[in-house]
Amino acid sequence: MKITQVLYKQNIGRLIKWQWRVQRKKTLIETNAEKVLTSRSIPIIDAKQFLHEPLFEAQKQDVKEIFNNIVGPIKLEPKLNNTHPLWNDDPCLVYGDHNVLVHGLEQAKVFTNAIEPEPGLPKYFKELYEAYRLPNQDEHIQRIIIASILYDAVQEKLPIRKDPKRPAWKFPRDYGIPDKRRNNLIVSRMLQLCESSVGNMSSNKVIERCFFKVPLQRNANISLNLRADLLLLSDTSLPPVMDDIQGDLPDLSPLDYKISLDEINIYHKDEFISPITGKFNNVHTAFIHYNETEVKNLYETPVLETQIMGRSLMKCYAFAVANAKSKYGENVKELPEPITLQCVQTNSQWFHFSIFQLNSLDGPEENGMKNIYWQTPLLNLYKKCVFDEGVPVLDDYNPEVFKNVLSFYMNGTEYEIK
């Protein structure tokens, strides 16, 4: 045992306990104030006479008036039951940003009354695809990828990793760039590269994180509550790709195409919300993010590729219907002309490109015109982007992805194809 240096310290804890023991009993100090006032013939009045009087008068008032005189009363939130002022006995089926359809793309085609005429994008996109190319295009995109995935200074706690085979195992907590910020950086910088290289078109307008709420009637109350993370609006609409199409919708029997939607009873009936107003009242391209921390399957199973494609189609349909109602009125039934828009969905690594043409607002129950949908498979922008022994490494860069982004941006413009 090592003998340490003796420090002549006092036991402060013992002194504090002694002070508590001494001070726990308070003795009244005689001030002789009453004797001095009495000697000077000054009357002494008990203060309780004045304290009881206002309290007695207040008790005569109504209780509601007393609460109204209180500054800043806290209003209790209404209970989420049938006593809520927005309660409806008829439930509403809601499709939100976190939802995916259980049957994926086929269920989305039935819901949106859409037919895919051929795999891939329309033929005229091949001309746009080959016509436009920016100087040092691939070098710029690779720099954007590394800057967005590796060099960003934001470091936050990432979601806890789980191993299904070892559910009790706790991994070390990971820090890095959250998926929402990573997606936003990739998309916004790609769009900025298009604008800086081609020129900012005065006929376009960009809106970030805009919310849509589109009500539908399909033998039930349906509401599409969706968000466009980045919306490119134009003052001129995109031309329709095809006049009409004939075909049959996928067979989902015995399932109903409205299955896996959230059911709620507290909602505003027929509430329509759209940011599309003014001069720029045409949706050109919608960029949507696939955040793994937000998008979940209803039955807690992994999200499939067909469900990701169905999510793109559902968002295209919601934005197109909102565009039609904003231009022609909320009660529009027949469209004067088709609504055509483009959509890009990404998780910052893969990209999904799609085009949707809204010909009719009819549901699959009605024998009306069919809507048209084109799409590409999921295209990987890169395979791996990590630090390898302190050196940034980008493997398997795919230049075809940005070519599609640039062709989407240039579609419908007045630039001459060279």
Side-chain angles (χ1 to χ4, degrees), residues 33-178:
E34 186 176 355
K35 293 181 181 180
V36 174
L37 294 175
T38 304
S39 62
R40 297 183 180 182
S41 302
I42 298 176
I44 300 174
I45 302 175
D46 191 359
K48 294 182 179 180
Q49 300 179 14
F50 299 93
L51 293 178
H52 281 296
E53 184 175 357
L55 293 176
F56 181 76
E57 292 296 332
Q59 291 174 359
K60 295 181 180 179
Q61 299 177 7
D62 191 10
V63 178
K64 293 184 179 180
E65 295 181 2
I66 296 176
F67 280 109
N68 292 332
N69 294 329
I70 298 175
V71 178
I74 299 177
K75 295 182 179 180
L76 300 178
E77 295 182 359
K79 296 182 179 180
L80 302 179
N81 52 21
N82 54 3
T83 61
H84 196 281
L86 298 179
W87 177 270
N88 294 275
D89 294 332
D90 192 11
C92 179
L93 303 178
V94 179
Y95 182 83
D97 286 295
H98 64 281
N99 290 110
V100 288
L101 299 178
V102 65
H103 216 276
L105 181 60
E106 292 186 358
Q107 183 179 350
K109 289 180 179 179
V110 178
F111 188 99
T112 60
N113 195 25
I115 293 178
E116 188 176 1
E118 57 184 359
L121 299 178
K123 295 181 179 179
Y124 76 91
F125 264 88
K126 296 180 181 179
E127 300 178 3
L128 296 174
Y129 186 82
E130 300 295 338
Y132 298 106
R133 181 176 178 82
L134 306 181
N136 301 325
Q137 175 176 297
D138 295 335
E139 290 79 2
H140 287 302
I141 296 300
Q142 292 181 35
R143 191 180 302 122
I144 286 175
I145 296 172
I146 296 177
S148 303
I149 304 300
L150 299 180
Y151 289 165
D152 192 71
V154 174
Q155 297 289 313
E156 297 181 3
K157 280 186 178 180
L158 299 181
I160 299 175
R161 285 185 292 165
K162 291 292 185 180
D163 188 357
K165 297 181 180 180
R166 299 180 298 171
W169 180 262
K170 292 185 178 180
F171 289 92
R173 198 58 187 269
D174 297 325
Y175 286 80
I177 306 173

Side-chain angles (χ1 to χ4, degrees), residues 13 85 136 158 165 213 232 257-258 272 286 385 399 411-412:
N136 301 325
L158 299 181
K165 297 181 180 180
K213 187 173 184 181
L232 185 62
Y257 69 88
K258 297 185 290 293
F272 174 65
C385 184
N411 185 25

Side-chain angles (χ1 to χ4, degrees), residues 73-301:
I74 299 177
K75 295 182 179 180
L76 300 178
E77 295 182 359
K79 296 182 179 180
L80 302 179
N81 52 21
N82 54 3
T83 61
H84 196 281
L86 298 179
W87 177 270
N88 294 275
D89 294 332
D90 192 11
C92 179
L93 303 178
V94 179
Y95 182 83
D97 286 295
H98 64 281
N99 290 110
V100 288
L101 299 178
V102 65
H103 216 276
L105 181 60
E106 292 186 358
Q107 183 179 350
K109 289 180 179 179
V110 178
F111 188 99
T112 60
N113 195 25
I115 293 178
E116 188 176 1
E118 57 184 359
L121 299 178
K123 295 181 179 179
Y124 76 91
F125 264 88
K126 296 180 181 179
E127 300 178 3
L128 296 174
Y129 186 82
E130 300 295 338
Y132 298 106
R133 181 176 178 82
L134 306 181
N136 301 325
Q137 175 176 297
D138 295 335
E139 290 79 2
H140 287 302
I141 296 300
Q142 292 181 35
R143 191 180 302 122
I144 286 175
I145 296 172
I146 296 177
S148 303
I149 304 300
L150 299 180
Y151 289 165
D152 192 71
V154 174
Q155 297 289 313
E156 297 181 3
K157 280 186 178 180
L158 299 181
I160 299 175
R161 285 185 292 165
K162 291 292 185 180
D163 188 357
K165 297 181 180 180
R166 299 180 298 171
W169 180 262
K170 292 185 178 180
F171 289 92
R173 198 58 187 269
D174 297 325
Y175 286 80
I177 306 173
D179 54 358
K180 294 182 180 180
R181 179 173 177 82
R182 189 171 60 242
N183 296 338
N184 185 39
L185 290 175
I186 286 282
V187 172
S188 60
R189 286 173 176 174
M190 281 188 176
L191 186 61
Q192 183 184 14
L193 178 62
C194 295
E195 292 178 349
S196 60
S197 301
V198 179
N200 187 8
M201 293 176 288
S202 59
S203 59
N204 284 2
K205 176 183 177 182
V206 178
I207 304 178
E208 294 183 358
R209 298 186 67 82
C210 46
F211 178 74
F212 291 83
K213 187 173 184 181
V214 183
L216 300 174
Q217 283 294 332
R218 299 284 181 81
N219 298 327
N221 295 322
I222 299 178
S223 181
L224 305 179
N225 304 342
L226 298 173
R227 180 188 70 245
D229 297 281
L230 197 147
L231 196 65
L232 185 62
L233 300 177
S234 175
D235 57 355
T236 58
S237 59
L238 293 176
V241 182
M242 298 177 62
D243 296 333
D244 194 6
I245 189 172
Q246 300 295 330
D248 297 328
L249 298 175
D251 185 13
L252 298 179
S253 60
L255 295 179
D256 185 14
Y257 69 88
K258 297 185 290 293
I259 195 173
S260 73
L261 300 184
D262 294 335
E263 184 176 320
I264 62 174
N265 290 88
I266 300 175
Y267 62 94
H268 284 282
K269 194 171 184 179
D270 298 332
E271 183 181 19
F272 174 65
I273 300 176
S274 173
I276 305 173
T277 56
K279 174 184 177 182
F280 303 95
N281 58 352
N282 299 283
V283 177
H284 185 275
T285 306
F287 294 90
I288 58 178
H289 299 164
Y290 177 84
N291 302 318
E292 296 179 356
T293 57
E294 179 185 18
V295 182
K296 302 292 183 182
N297 211 319
L298 181 63
Y299 305 104
E300 300 182 359
T301 55

